[in-house]
Amino acid sequence: MTTQQIPLSPEDDIRLLFGPQDVYLRQMREHLGVGIILRGENLILDGPEDKVPHAREVLEQLLPLVRRKGVLKEEDLAKVLGIPVPGNDPSPEAKIDLFEKARSVRPRTKGQEHYVDAMRQHELVFCTGPAGCGKTYLAVAMAVNALRRQQIRKIVLVRPAVEAGEKLGFLPGDMMQKVNPYLRPLLDAMSDMLTFEQVQRYMQEDVIEILPLAFMRGRTLNQTFIILDEGQNTTPTQMLMFLTRMGEGSRIVVTGDVTQTDLPPSMKSGLIDAVTRCRPIQGVAVVELTGMDIVRHRLVREIVEAYDDDSSKSPRRKH
């Protein structure tokens, strides 16, 4: 057993941290497995040596959060503790079967479940949201599911190769080697669901293609699940070119974070433009995920919120 103390500042309101009738305090004690008491101007943590440091880390995240927001919401506490957000649990029936040794991918929030339902029910889906909310990963899982169910014959994964501070011409290798870094996140998602051998075989047999957006020009893809990742980095002209590649029996999912564009300031985002134009069309779904749907490391959500707080104080780029 060990004991540590966290000194409090005059700005810390312990009533907010502990919650109404100490409900948050009881939740923290139960989940973290340590004793937490207020003694003078310090929080005292008492418990097993392997748990107290983690409890201190959690409280050192919560205290600045309460200070900054002036309130501690139940969902904020759940995020930092790494437990399901109350009322945000998806239905068990929402899982995506991969038909690979009984493997499946499950939506982890209500927002993600809504996204999966949209992909099941619509031929064209636009999904926007911050980094880490599963936009691309769930789309790839749905594509693998459709392929294994023989609903499609081919998967095409596409990304715009935007020069974010780098000039492609100065990178070594041929064109495919130059754009490989841009396509890598798509390949990583695919490799997480299929074995390396399966991915290689599918690519050799042209069942799976991973390519830059420019390579889509002039093609018509039938019975294909097509995913455009980082759609915010397309121009309206490029987005129109991409969307019109859809052939018979095909489905398209376009993902992107409209707050993170690498286009020149004067250029309009094709994703924002397409969502506005296509939202009223029957057979099109628009899903907007939020920070509540972030499922990466628990710090990612806090980082996104920190930058959102900062951007709300300054003018946003116009698209």
Side-chain angles (χ1 to χ4, degrees):
M1 302 290 285
T2 186
T3 300
Q4 291 190 22
Q5 65 179 25
I6 301 176
L8 300 172
S9 71
E11 295 82 17
D12 290 322
D13 190 335
I14 295 303
R15 293 173 300 174
L16 297 177
L17 179 67
F18 286 178
Q21 299 179 337
D22 289 347
V23 63
Y24 294 167
L25 175 62
R26 290 193 295 272
Q27 195 170 354
M28 286 187 283
R29 284 171 172 169
E30 179 180 351
H31 181 75
L32 298 172
V34 302
I36 304 173
I37 62 172
L38 176 64
R39 184 177 297 160
E41 298 181 353
N42 297 286
L43 280 178
I44 307 300
L45 311 181
D46 181 57
E49 291 186 8
D50 60 331
K51 293 185 177 180
V52 168
H54 174 59
R56 184 186 185 105
E57 182 183 345
V58 167
L59 285 163
E60 287 179 342
Q61 289 183 64
L62 289 172
L63 285 168
L65 182 66
V66 175
R67 231 176 275 143
R68 188 173 75 244
K69 293 188 174 183
V71 65
L72 180 60
K73 296 181 180 178
E74 194 174 1
E75 56 264 31
D76 291 328
L77 176 63
K79 293 174 194 175
V80 176
L81 289 176
I83 60 178
V85 177
N88 201 31
D89 300 333
S91 166
E93 292 78 31
K95 71 175 182 179
I96 307 168
D97 288 319
L98 300 178
F99 302 99
E100 173 63 26
K101 297 180 180 178
R103 287 193 62 202
S104 63
V105 171
R106 294 178 183 273
R108 293 171 59 182
T109 68
K110 280 292 185 183
Q112 289 189 352
E113 181 180 4
H114 175 54
Y115 178 33
V116 170
D117 287 342
M119 288 189 284
R120 285 178 171 146
Q121 298 170 19
H122 297 82
E123 294 173 312
L124 172 57
V125 176
F126 295 94
C127 181
T128 64
C133 61
K135 304 183 298 292
T136 305
Y137 194 83
L138 290 172
V140 172
M142 285 295 293
V144 172
N145 174 275
L147 182 66
R148 290 294 179 87
R149 287 181 180 273
Q150 298 184 333
Q151 296 173 338
I152 56 166
R153 295 186 296 104
K154 185 181 181 74
I155 297 173
V156 175
L157 310 176
V158 185
R159 249 191 168 207
V162 175
E163 299 179 7
E166 290 184 333
K167 296 295 183 182
L168 288 179
F170 288 101
L171 297 175
D174 58 24
M175 178 53 67
M176 287 308 296
Q177 290 173 318
K178 290 177 189 290
V179 299
N180 182 65
Y182 296 96
L183 307 178
R184 192 77 223 175
L186 294 169
L187 185 57
D188 288 344
M190 183 66 68
S191 299
D192 199 37
M193 299 173 198
L194 301 172
T195 66
F196 175 79
E197 291 75 18
Q198 287 172 325
V199 174
Q200 290 294 103
R201 177 166 56 83
Y202 278 145
M203 293 182 72
Q204 289 171 0
E205 295 174 355
D206 208 32
V207 174
I208 293 176
E209 275 190 271
I210 305 177
L211 69 164
L213 177 62
F215 287 33
M216 292 288 286
R217 192 172 300 278
R219 303 180 65 180
T220 299
L221 297 169
N222 298 314
Q223 293 182 283
T224 303
F225 199 118
I226 315 166
I227 299 171
L228 172 60
D229 191 34
E230 299 289 342
Q232 78 277 4
N233 285 333
T234 64
T235 65
T237 301
Q238 290 172 326
M239 181 63 76
L240 174 61
M241 179 276 290
F242 171 77
L243 294 177
T244 52
R245 301 309 94 198
M246 181 184 243
E248 289 296 323
S250 290
R251 295 149 72 181
I252 288 180
V253 177
V254 180
T255 70
D257 180 354
V258 295
T259 69
Q260 297 292 328
T261 175
D262 293 317
L263 296 171
S266 61
M267 194 171 292
K268 188 175 184 179
S269 168
L271 177 57
I272 297 173
D273 180 67
V275 166
T276 303
R277 293 175 185 270
C278 298
R279 191 189 291 267
I281 300 175
Q282 186 175 3
V284 175
V286 177
V287 179
E288 297 172 355
L289 300 178
T290 69
M292 295 287 289
D293 300 298
I294 294 176
V295 294
R296 287 184 186 168
H297 191 283
R298 56 190 172 78
L299 287 180
V300 173
R301 188 182 290 108
E302 289 297 319
I303 292 168
V304 170
E305 288 181 358
Y307 276 85
D308 282 345
D309 288 346
D310 184 61
S311 62
S312 67
K313 299 174 185 176
S314 58
R316 288 182 177 270
R317 276 180 51 179
K318 295 181 180 180
H319 298 281

